[in-house]
Amino acid sequence: MKIQSPLNPGSRRRGGRFFRGILSLLLLLFVPPAIPHLITLRDPGPPPRPADAIFVLTGGEGRIQEGFRAWSGGAARELYILGAGRRVPVARIVPEGLRIPAEALSRVHVEGWSENTLENAFAAKSAVGERRYSSVILVTSDYHIPRAVLVFRKVLPGDVSLSTIRVRPEGGAGASWRWARRHFIEGWKYWGYRILLRWE
């Protein structure tokens, strides 16, 4: 007596198509935002010789402290803190500045009008053009690096050398979830900016 399989071949095929569809959807959702982060892992860190200026993009934890630490260590001559707000004193942004000589403090610049990454880049372009900088260091959060580098390379003159310092987020409860969410969102923002900048 021949026993027929309880599983219908047609239902197996439908089930296979369903799971392949789900897998394709997940790949389309998560692979594009991962690509920019993987590409920028190859971006150079700070150069061996001091750069002309460090540009710190405010808005993320630890960015100003990391930029000030790099500047204090001799990574660049000038320090720019972009998007800090209008008429905000240096001492309020960088408390350590109260302990450094006046000559050194004169090389710390606070810019207050820019409010997003694109405006930060144009503020930096103004300083680069005015002072004829040839090499700059960008300091921002690791998840923000792809979009920031994309914008700054588009806005700054092509002969200006651009390197980066990645600021890692602090740990604590929910750190892994925040890390994944920020990288996912910024990955998609990168592609949005890439489309936007093609028309600039």
Side-chain angles (χ1 to χ4, degrees), residues 37-86:
H37 298 291
L38 295 174
I39 292 174
T40 54
L41 288 176
R42 299 177 298 177
D43 285 351
R49 294 182 180 179
D52 293 321
I54 290 175
F55 291 106
V56 180
L57 310 190
T58 57
E61 59 187 20
R63 296 180 187 179
I64 294 176
Q65 294 87 338
E66 187 63 36
F68 184 81
R69 187 181 303 116
W71 174 77
S72 299
R77 174 170 174 76
E78 307 286 331
L79 173 64
Y80 289 81
I81 301 171
L82 306 179
R86 298 184 184 276

Side-chain angles (χ1 to χ4, degrees), residues 54-57 63 66-67 70 137-141 163-165 167:
I54 290 175
F55 291 106
V56 180
L57 310 190
R63 296 180 187 179
E66 187 63 36
I137 300 172
L138 188 62
V139 178
T140 189
S141 303
S163 55
T164 60
I165 293 178
V167 180

